[in-house]
Amino acid sequence: MFAKIYQPARNAMQSGRALSKHWFLEFTPEMAERSDPLMGWTSSTDMRAQVRLSFDSQEAAVAYARQQGIPYQVTTPQKAKRYVKSYSDNFATNRKQPWSH
């Protein structure tokens, strides 16, 4: 039973950061998923694969894992690079790359 503690990245389809402030603790699967021969659905008998615990901070998630005796690995999030642009830069005469319709 090994746990992964991480902070999820924001959704690429949205500009908001709604669920990216929480930290999550998930267990890694101990058994491989298998395919159902009749329907083709993937299933697993590992019940821990369904558990996803949410915490307000990384320290709270680490404290919970230590208190329960769960070995864990913390994955630190990478910060997104912000490019400051202006709409008028699209029509500048001194562009580095030519732009045409």
Side-chain angles (χ1 to χ4, degrees), residues 28-52:
T28 56
E30 293 182 0
M31 293 180 249
E33 293 181 345
R34 60 182 177 89
S35 178
D36 182 49
L38 179 63
M39 298 298 288
W41 297 338
T42 56
S43 64
S44 175
T45 57
D46 188 12
M47 296 298 287
R48 292 188 186 119
Q50 300 175 8
V51 177
R52 183 179 182 191

Side-chain angles (χ1 to χ4, degrees), residues 3-96:
K4 176 175 71 167
I5 298 173
Y6 68 97
Q7 187 177 23
R10 71 172 178 85
N11 188 349
M13 302 300 291
Q14 298 174 349
S15 61
R17 299 185 306 171
L19 294 177
S20 64
K21 295 180 183 176
H22 296 289
W23 286 81
F24 292 100
L25 183 139
E26 285 184 352
F27 295 101
T28 56
E30 293 182 0
M31 293 180 249
E33 293 181 345
R34 60 182 177 89
S35 178
D36 182 49
L38 179 63
M39 298 298 288
W41 297 338
T42 56
S43 64
S44 175
T45 57
D46 188 12
M47 296 298 287
R48 292 188 186 119
Q50 300 175 8
V51 177
R52 183 179 182 191
L53 302 174
S54 174
F55 298 93
D56 290 332
S57 66
Q58 176 185 355
E59 292 80 19
V62 169
Y64 177 81
R66 286 185 182 163
Q67 180 184 15
Q68 298 298 324
I70 301 170
Y72 63 91
Q73 176 184 8
V74 177
T75 305
T76 57
Q78 295 180 357
K79 298 296 180 187
K81 294 179 183 177
R82 299 279 181 186
Y83 297 106
V84 179
K85 293 183 180 179
S86 147
Y87 181 71
S88 62
D89 290 342
N90 292 330
F91 306 103
T93 58
N94 58 353
R95 288 180 56 101
K96 292 187 179 13

